Amino acid sequence: MTTVKSNGRAGRILVAGGYGAVGAEVTRTLAEWFPGRVAPGGRDESRARAHGGVRLDVSDADGFRKALDDLGDIAVVVLCVEPADAAVARLCLERGIHLVDVGATRRLLDAVGDLHGLAVGTGATAVLSVGVAPGLTNLLARRVHDAVGGAERLDITVLLGSGERHGADALRWTVDGLAEPAPARPTRTALPGYGTRTAHPFPFSDQHTLRRTLGVPEATTRLCLDSRPLTASLFALRRAGLLRGARRPRLQRLLTGLFSRVHIGGDGFAVRVDAHRGDRHAAQALTGREQSRVTGLTAAYVARGLLTEGVPAGVHHIEQLSVFADLPERLGAHGVTLRPVTATGG
């Protein structure tokens, strides 16, 4: 990678959670492009300072405000950890600071979306749905949606490697998702490199976002793991309702701890998006390794785009910004393989 010159946008990049599973990749990649301009932040002050950064806690809005005041020249904040609400996003946008958010919780993304008018007024841009799912799934959905002339239904399938070491936030989010009831049936889907898999409905935010941004009446995201036995076991627990009710907190802690210690399977991932309109059908898929790494790379590319490209002010999901439409191709340099669109009917 080579150093990148900004297009008239000075200032540093603050990476919240900048030494975690996703944040470390964001910090490393941006530091190569913008030497001396990247500051990782996190709650562990010694770790943050060891990486040349600052103590930062996204759950403490007053402390976050002080950190922005002390740093003084932040142009972009990359959120690699999920805050409890939209207070941190508001702090950034009201100061005209660009924001990249890798979060995947619908409630929080909607709350940041409500700040669109504020961002437009200060000239700041927030990009949401940044990562693999949501993120790359949104970009593939845009392509197949356009390929069928406007989808009536989107089916999004995500396969994650159960052997990968994920951060604590990602593990808690996954366990929380397993506690939610299934809104649709599982389906059998062919995934490149993994054969035909049974994937189960899962509360990724992309399925809700895409209904609004693309105007698609029906969208469902389903999940499976590369380990077939682990997939079957986890979703059997959900069907049995064992993660809900009085025992839910205890089992959630147990599963989160188990996932952090036991790694069955590999580190590969695959996503596929199918669009349907009458008898028309289009599909596209991609594969890669280390979902956390690719999420970090995606966030880094978006942050670079905010500094170097003409991106409109306001709050946008990644599929709404044409400047990022070719991100799947750009990630080819990092081991992401894009499968060509297939289309039938019409």
Side-chain angles (χ1 to χ4, degrees), residues 9-91:
R9 181 80 184 195
R12 288 189 288 170
I13 306 163
L14 176 61
V15 184
Y19 48 75
V22 172
E25 186 64 36
V26 177
T27 299
R28 183 193 66 77
T29 304
L30 288 173
E32 291 186 10
W33 291 334
F34 304 101
R37 292 177 58 185
V38 182
R43 288 183 296 181
D44 188 327
E45 185 170 4
S46 61
R47 289 184 69 187
R49 294 198 180 279
H51 290 80
V54 296
R55 186 184 184 283
L56 197 70
D57 186 351
V58 299
S59 67
D60 177 7
D62 289 338
F64 198 94
R65 180 186 295 106
K66 184 177 184 304
L68 291 178
D69 289 339
D70 291 345
L71 291 166
D73 61 346
I74 298 300
V76 180
V77 169
V78 184
L79 281 180
C80 299
V81 289
E82 232 177 36
D85 53 34
V88 165
R90 178 178 289 278
L91 285 171

Side-chain angles (χ1 to χ4, degrees), residues 13-336:
I13 306 163
L14 176 61
V15 184
Y19 48 75
V22 172
E25 186 64 36
V26 177
T27 299
R28 183 193 66 77
T29 304
L30 288 173
E32 291 186 10
W33 291 334
F34 304 101
R37 292 177 58 185
V38 182
R43 288 183 296 181
D44 188 327
E45 185 170 4
S46 61
R47 289 184 69 187
R49 294 198 180 279
H51 290 80
V54 296
R55 186 184 184 283
L56 197 70
D57 186 351
V58 299
S59 67
D60 177 7
D62 289 338
F64 198 94
R65 180 186 295 106
K66 184 177 184 304
L68 291 178
D69 289 339
D70 291 345
L71 291 166
D73 61 346
I74 298 300
V76 180
V77 169
V78 184
L79 281 180
C80 299
V81 289
E82 232 177 36
D85 53 34
V88 165
R90 178 178 289 278
L91 285 171
C92 295
L93 298 177
E94 67 186 9
R95 295 165 182 246
I97 297 172
H98 295 325
L99 181 71
V100 179
D101 191 346
V102 304
T105 300
R106 178 189 180 186
R107 172 184 60 83
L108 295 174
L109 295 179
D110 286 348
V112 178
D114 290 340
L115 302 176
H116 177 76
L118 170 64
V120 170
T122 61
T125 301
V127 186
L128 312 181
S129 301
V130 177
V132 173
L136 298 182
T137 53
N138 298 56
L139 293 175
L140 296 190
R142 168 104 253 176
R143 295 183 184 195
V144 295
H145 169 77
D146 292 344
V148 298
E152 296 169 337
R153 188 179 90 240
L154 289 173
D155 290 308
I156 305 160
T157 306
V158 179
L159 179 145
L160 298 179
S162 48
E164 182 176 352
R165 296 179 183 274
H166 297 280
D169 275 3
L171 292 176
R172 282 192 293 269
W173 183 88
T174 302
V175 173
D176 283 345
L178 287 168
E180 294 190 16
R185 294 181 179 181
T187 61
R188 300 271 293 166
T189 306
L191 294 165
Y194 296 93
T196 300
R197 297 300 187 101
T198 300
H200 302 260
F202 205 77
F204 288 99
S205 60
D206 49 10
Q207 60 199 308
H208 304 290
T209 296
L210 293 165
R211 293 173 196 171
R212 183 174 67 254
T213 61
L214 299 184
V216 179
E218 183 182 348
T220 304
T221 306
R222 295 175 173 87
L223 171 68
C224 60
L225 304 176
D226 61 345
S227 167
R228 295 175 191 267
L230 187 55
T231 300
S233 299
L234 287 176
F235 287 98
L237 278 176
R238 182 170 76 172
R239 284 195 303 275
L242 294 179
L243 297 177
R244 301 194 299 274
R247 290 189 291 174
R248 173 179 167 180
R250 179 168 150 311
L251 281 172
Q252 283 186 310
R253 287 193 298 270
L254 176 64
L255 279 175
T256 302
L258 181 65
F259 288 160
S260 67
R261 294 188 300 271
V262 178
H263 305 282
I264 303 170
D267 64 0
F269 68 87
V271 300
R272 170 175 168 160
V273 184
D274 291 76
H276 303 270
R277 179 184 177 89
D279 64 349
R280 302 194 67 185
H281 168 244
Q284 187 160 38
L286 58 76
T287 58
R289 290 184 54 251
E290 300 173 312
Q291 175 257 333
S292 295
R293 176 182 66 91
V294 174
T295 291
L297 286 165
T298 303
Y301 273 98
V302 170
R304 183 172 78 169
L306 292 177
L307 289 170
T308 62
E309 305 284 350
V311 182
V315 180
H316 311 277
H317 290 271
I318 195 169
E319 72 276 9
Q320 296 177 290
L321 297 168
S322 60
V323 69
F324 301 122
D326 66 342
L327 258 181
E329 284 81 5
R330 285 190 257 172
L331 290 170
H334 307 280
V336 172

